Amino acid sequence: MYSIIVVPPQALAEGHDSGGPDHSGPDQLRLAPGERLTFGRSPAANDLAIDHEGVSRTAGEITAQGAFWILTNLSSHQTYVVENPEGAGEHIKVGPGRVDAPVPFEFSRVVLPAGGDLLHFEVWAPRHDVLRTGSGPEGATTRPAFSLDRTKRYFAVLAALCEPRLRGAPHAPLPTVEQVVERLRPGWPSANRAAVQWNIDYLAVKLRLKPGPDEADAGPRLNGKKEALVSLALRFDLVREDDLVVLSTRAASRGGVRG
């Protein structure tokens, strides 16, 4: 059974509706675990030919590895970038000559610098291997690293802070406290600067970015608190794009201020 799907650049350029990994298409190249696909300028030497004079004759190789894939960069001078289109700017770089770099994204965009152009093709890894419930050892459950209640207003505040970057602008400036207030006010009419700032301070303690008020060592003052919160939340998927539904009028009206 296939585990990796490659969508060539010509299919993307022609605007074919690939429909995602559950839909087959004539331009998709499918790899089973262990299978390899080479790409480069030469049609004779590659499974995926990329017709551009700025692409190496043999540019790289993709190998399917079950639920993920690895990338080998056969170029002697170009760095390739693999982007996560759903990851708010998340990406990895694969340097010249790097062999078998693992790619952790379910949806990936492989970007190749070619002269003055940036070419790309997509790779999907739709296979999900999941442990069976109850297959682990018996005993006490593991304490979660970050305990967040998505019904509380502090989570709506965190979602509002993360929203610009989750909407596809990974380097967008974070909203000010006043902008967060305005974003939340339709579902939280009593929202004000003090309440939002309180929730930001509460989140910094809850996510252990700073010690709680009952701890002996208060630690240094946390500068860039909003940036630290958003960075942590996006890095560990504490807030995803689907969670932005909490900013709707109905969702934001639930929950206490202090969570």
Side-chain angles (χ1 to χ4, degrees):
M1 177 182 177
Y2 71 87
S3 64
I4 301 299
I5 303 171
V6 180
V7 183
Q10 58 266 30
L12 298 172
E14 292 167 4
H16 289 183
D17 182 10
S18 55
D22 292 330
H23 293 72
S24 62
D27 300 307
Q28 296 177 2
L29 304 171
R30 301 187 172 220
L31 305 179
E35 291 185 337
R36 301 187 176 210
L37 176 146
T38 57
F39 60 91
R41 188 174 78 245
S42 171
N46 296 284
D47 304 301
L48 171 59
I50 302 176
D51 185 16
H52 193 291
E53 61 183 6
V55 176
S56 300
R57 286 187 294 275
T58 53
E61 184 177 81
I62 289 170
T63 305
Q65 296 285 336
F68 71 102
W69 56 284
I70 56 178
L71 173 64
T72 293
N73 184 350
L74 297 176
S75 170
S76 60
H77 61 284
Q78 296 282 16
T79 293
Y80 301 157
V81 174
V82 184
E83 301 174 340
N84 176 6
E86 299 185 325
E90 189 178 20
H91 69 278
I92 62 172
K93 295 189 290 186
V94 182
R98 172 71 191 274
V99 175
D100 294 345
V103 178
F105 312 137
E106 180 176 353
F107 300 102
S108 303
R109 180 184 296 123
V110 182
V111 183
L112 311 176
D117 299 319
L118 292 177
L119 308 179
H120 72 272
F121 59 89
E122 294 183 355
V123 181
W124 302 333
R127 173 174 162 179
H128 294 172
D129 294 337
V130 181
L131 289 174
R132 295 192 307 272
T133 302
S135 61
E138 296 182 358
T141 58
T142 303
R143 179 182 176 183
F146 306 105
S147 179
L148 294 175
D149 187 339
R150 284 165 168 74
T151 68
K152 301 300 183 182
R153 282 181 178 151
Y154 69 72
F155 188 80
V157 170
L158 183 59
L161 289 173
C162 296
E163 183 179 28
R165 296 184 183 181
L166 284 173
R167 295 292 192 194
H171 304 295
L174 298 184
T176 64
V177 172
E178 289 79 6
Q179 289 171 327
V180 173
V181 170
E182 292 302 314
R183 182 70 177 92
L184 297 176
R185 187 162 282 159
W188 180 10
S190 62
N192 56 46
R193 178 182 175 84
V196 168
Q197 188 60 59
W198 190 97
N199 279 277
I200 291 173
D201 292 338
Y202 177 77
L203 281 163
V205 174
K206 189 173 183 64
L207 297 181
R208 298 189 292 280
L209 293 175
K210 61 178 296 186
D214 56 340
E215 298 185 31
D217 182 7
R221 178 179 176 84
L222 178 62
N223 296 316
K225 192 178 304 180
K226 292 190 300 177
E227 184 69 44
L229 283 170
V230 170
S231 177
L232 181 72
L234 296 182
R235 181 178 300 171
F236 291 101
D237 287 337
L238 305 185
V239 182
R240 301 171 182 265
E241 189 172 357
D242 291 346
D243 291 318
L244 298 181
V245 69
V246 302
L247 301 177
S248 66
T249 299
R250 178 184 298 178
S253 65
R254 299 195 304 264
V257 174
R258 300 195 174 201

